[in-house]
Amino acid sequence: MIRKTLLIYALYFIGLSCYGQTKESVIPSSVVKEYAERFNQTDDELFVQLFPDSEAAGFLEKNIPRFECPDKELEEIYYFRWWTFRKHIKQTPDGYIITEFLPDVPWSGKYNGISCPAMHHYNEGRWLHNREYLDSYAHYWLRGGGSLRSYSFPIAHALYNYYLVTNDDSLIKEFLPDLIKNFEAWEKERYDAQKGLFWQDDGKDGMEVSICGKETAEGYRVTINSYMIAEAKTIAAIAKRFGNPAGEVFEKKAEALQANMLKSLWDKEALFFKVIPRKDGAGLCDARELHGYTPWCFNLAGKEYAAAWKFLMNPEHFYAPYGPTTAEQCHAGFAISYEGHECQWNGPSWPFATSVTLTGLANLLNNQKQDVISKKDYFDLLKIYAKSHHLTKEDGTVVPWIDENLNPFTGDWIARTRLKTWKDGTWSKEKGGVERGKDYNHSTFCDLVITGLVGLRPQEGNKLTVNPLVPDTWDYFCIDSLVYKGRKLTVLYDKDGNKYKKGKGLMLFVDGKLKEKRNALGSIHVNLF
């Protein structure tokens, strides 16, 4: 079995050799190297795992899709986030995992793994050319001793999204029994049969100190219920694919749970999904919280719920210069505090929540017709997100940066500012130590560029849709050396044909050959094979 696996990977990497610098490449690999070396120069490399800074350029040249656009801040942060993701690939005695924090933190599980951000790890990491890392990561969670249910984590959905990119269904087939057992364990631990909903502690959703968790942290939350609906739908799809009778059972579970969530957690007056605290006689919490957009991350809310999106870009609610905020600003419980817990979901901006929201927004814009929010809003929010990826050092130098939580009005990394004052400057070892949140891996960015901005929409089978959400004012953009279902893809737009010398308009190349072209921005639909 080991020899067979090694042979498969050997053949895979031989195939990928053509995805480096070739005559068909539009963006040269030197661009990746230049960015990596620039980030290395300003990096204080405190924690080293499998790939140190000295190997960053080589790793990225071999593994990531290359991106180019007129907005150089957006382009820079795209490469920066790949540069930081590479730091979190950790080799353990049992294989590879992806970490959230670089230093060990006491609330983590085996090998410093934490399940809370693992969905984001899969959405981001599925675009790496080398599949060993995420394949091994699946074993860690399902059979390798990872603390799978220590936080909310839709692992079946994450693995299925990974499969949509690789077109290799061996993992979802192998782990189907484990995914079923995991769902059943969630039912025993967190399902309330009387209400027909799952409940979760807000901190175990990765959302501690929330407004709606003030009286009791336990609640019937749209987060855990969206995750579990997505899990049931995914398990049903996998089971049916392989002729497992569990398919119909899980399809019915998904339908019932989705109906209950839409009925119970939608506030018709507030036009928003909310939390019901888990206590006798409790009704819907009166606060709109950003996680109310979670159903769209999994395509669970129809067009009749689209009105919720009118609050996202409103400064009385979620919009802020370094936002969005995690709770609406007009609520009395909204706070930007530098006291108490260093991480609070009652106002600060969190990359985790921003990632979920932008993923949901891209799904809405691609899958539903509505006039509440536009592709311009997607781009504007992605731009704000990119702008937040910075830190001003003591000498005044501004560098790319990703950390934990942000002051949505100033861009200050709150937890970092707080932790620096603790334990006489030692940054509190029991909280993770010096620079705990540096290069924090708790969100996506590159996937938002690929699937949202560039618009490559992973889907079943032979079909491929490319629907860019880029500004109409852009004259060009390109994503190159992107491996999808075993093919090398290039998507580019050249308004007048002078940038890339391949003609005018929006073009899709498959393995270096022009597959589809349109003269203006819009959507492309093709049969890939």
Side-chain angles (χ1 to χ4, degrees):
M1 181 65 183
I2 294 175
R3 289 182 179 179
K4 181 179 178 181
T5 301
L6 291 174
L7 177 60
I8 290 172
Y9 278 119
L11 293 172
Y12 181 73
F13 287 115
I14 289 171
L16 283 182
S17 64
C18 66
Y19 298 160
Q21 181 63 40
T22 70
K23 63 180 181 180
E24 294 88 7
S25 295
V26 177
I27 303 173
S29 60
S30 59
V31 171
V32 181
K33 182 178 180 181
E34 289 167 6
Y35 272 114
E37 291 177 347
R38 184 195 306 176
F39 302 144
N40 287 349
Q41 289 174 1
T42 59
D43 187 34
D44 186 6
E45 193 176 20
L46 300 173
F47 311 100
V48 179
Q49 297 194 141
L50 181 59
F51 296 104
D53 283 358
S54 60
E55 298 179 23
F59 173 86
L60 297 177
E61 285 180 280
K62 293 176 182 177
N63 276 287
I64 70 168
R66 304 165 200 157
F67 175 61
E68 183 177 46
C69 74
D71 190 313
K72 293 306 170 185
E73 179 180 61
L74 200 63
E75 181 179 305
E76 178 186 47
I77 300 306
Y78 172 84
Y79 286 107
F80 173 70
R81 286 300 300 265
W82 278 127
W83 180 84
T84 59
F85 189 94
R86 162 274 315 181
K87 290 189 174 196
H88 288 273
I89 300 173
K90 182 176 184 176
Q91 189 168 30
T92 77
D94 298 323
Y96 302 107
I97 72 166
I98 312 297
T99 56
E100 174 183 348
F101 293 93
L102 290 175
D104 289 347
V105 292
W107 56 92
S108 66
K110 186 179 181 181
Y111 303 131
N112 204 35
I114 302 176
S115 60
C116 187
M119 173 182 72
H120 293 313
H121 295 165
Y122 269 96
N123 283 347
E124 198 91 327
R126 60 185 171 162
W127 301 107
L128 291 173
H129 296 173
N130 187 337
R131 288 167 38 197
E132 288 181 288
Y133 312 122
L134 292 193
D135 285 3
S136 180
Y137 198 32
H139 282 269
Y140 168 77
W141 287 123
L142 291 164
R143 296 180 186 173
S147 300
L148 182 57
R149 290 182 300 282
S150 57
Y151 291 88
S152 305
F153 169 29
I155 185 170
H157 186 265
L159 291 181
Y160 199 76
N161 277 351
Y162 179 40
Y163 148 70
L164 290 181
V165 171
T166 66
N167 208 36
D168 181 351
D169 62 8
S170 59
L171 278 183
I172 56 175
K173 181 178 181 180
E174 177 185 355
F175 289 123
L176 177 59
D178 304 84
L179 298 175
I180 292 173
K181 289 178 183 177
N182 180 56
F183 190 97
E184 292 171 343
W186 273 116
E187 287 182 309
K188 291 179 181 179
E189 296 170 14
R190 290 289 189 268
Y191 183 67
D192 184 331
Q194 187 174 357
K195 285 188 175 291
L197 293 170
F198 285 86
W199 61 272
Q200 182 61 291
D201 181 298
D202 63 355
K204 294 303 181 181
D205 262 346
M207 302 175 185
E208 58 270 24
V209 198
S210 66
I211 292 176
C212 292
K214 186 175 182 181
E215 294 185 31
T216 172
E218 296 177 355
Y220 303 96
R221 301 168 58 80
V222 74
T223 43
I224 183 66
N225 283 284
S226 293
Y227 290 1
M228 298 312 295
I229 296 166
E231 289 293 272
K233 284 178 177 286
T234 303
I235 291 171
I238 297 171
K240 287 185 174 183
R241 181 181 183 86
F242 298 112
N244 189 310
E248 292 186 6
V249 174
F250 277 87
E251 192 169 62
K252 291 178 180 178
K253 287 177 183 286
E255 290 173 355
L257 184 56
Q258 185 172 2
N260 288 334
M261 183 187 75
L262 297 177
K263 177 182 177 181
S264 300
L265 301 185
W266 175 252
D267 188 327
K268 295 180 181 178
E269 294 184 2
L271 300 175
F272 214 75
F273 286 106
K274 292 184 175 180
V275 174
I276 299 177
R278 190 170 178 255
K279 65 177 186 177
D280 292 340
L284 288 165
C285 175
D286 64 354
R288 296 183 186 90
E289 297 174 302
L290 192 66
H291 65 74
Y293 292 117
T294 306
W296 283 273
C297 188
F298 303 95
N299 292 301
L300 301 178
K303 62 182 181 180
E304 63 268 34
Y305 301 96
W309 290 91
K310 70 181 181 179
F311 302 105
L312 180 62
M313 305 303 285
N314 188 328
E316 293 184 4
H317 297 279
F318 298 111
Y319 181 86
Y322 295 88
T325 56
T326 47
E328 57 182 345
Q329 297 162 50
C330 60
H331 193 276
F334 176 85
I336 304 299
S337 177
Y338 285 77
E339 297 180 354
H341 198 289
E342 70 273 19
C343 297
Q344 303 179 29
W345 278 72
N346 53 6
S349 179
W350 282 71
F352 179 100
T354 300
S355 300
V356 170
T357 302
L358 279 166
T359 299
L361 180 52
N363 286 341
L364 176 72
L365 294 170
N366 275 275
N367 301 331
Q368 295 179 18
K369 291 183 178 180
Q370 47 75 42
D371 58 5
V372 179
I373 196 164
S374 69
K375 75 171 188 176
K376 180 182 182 301
D377 296 312
Y378 181 90
F379 179 74
D380 289 348
L381 187 56
L382 186 65
K383 273 288 296 175
I384 289 172
Y385 188 26
K387 182 178 72 171
S388 75
H389 280 71
H390 292 94
L391 175 75
T392 301
K393 291 189 170 183
E394 293 180 1
D395 63 1
T397 304
V398 178
V399 297
W401 194 269
I402 182 66
D403 216 297
E404 296 182 64
N405 53 341
L406 284 146
N407 184 319
F409 306 114
T410 68
D412 174 53
W413 294 101
I414 297 174
R416 183 177 187 271
T417 296
R418 298 278 321 282
L419 291 170
K420 285 179 68 178
T421 67
W422 292 6
K423 298 290 184 180
D424 299 322
T426 63
W427 288 51
S428 179
K429 289 184 179 179
E430 64 269 25
K431 288 286 187 176
V434 176
E435 293 288 14
R436 178 185 86 184
K438 182 178 181 294
D439 303 318
Y440 191 44
N441 193 23
H442 198 251
S443 60
T444 59
F445 187 90
C446 303
D447 183 68
L448 298 172
V449 170
I450 295 168
T451 64
L453 189 66
V454 172
L456 194 146
R457 309 294 296 172
Q459 58 196 97
E460 280 273 10
N462 182 36
K463 297 185 182 300
L464 174 65
T465 295
V466 180
N467 183 34
L469 301 178
V470 302
D472 294 334
T473 56
W474 275 13
D475 290 336
Y476 69 91
F477 73 84
C478 179
I479 194 89
D480 194 19
S481 297
L482 186 146
V483 179
Y484 177 71
K485 297 185 186 294
R487 302 297 182 94
K488 175 191 172 186
L489 304 188
T490 299
V491 178
L492 67 82
Y493 172 69
D494 193 340
K495 184 176 181 179
D496 57 19
N498 293 327
K499 174 68 176 177
Y500 300 115
K501 311 298 183 184
K502 293 182 179 293
K504 298 179 181 180
L506 180 65
M507 287 162 266
L508 169 66
F509 293 84
V510 178
D511 295 334
K513 297 179 180 180
L514 181 64
K515 181 71 174 180
E516 190 67 34
K517 179 181 182 296
R518 56 176 297 151
N519 293 329
L521 285 171
S523 58
I524 287 176
H525 306 273
V526 300
N527 290 322
L528 189 61
F529 306 120

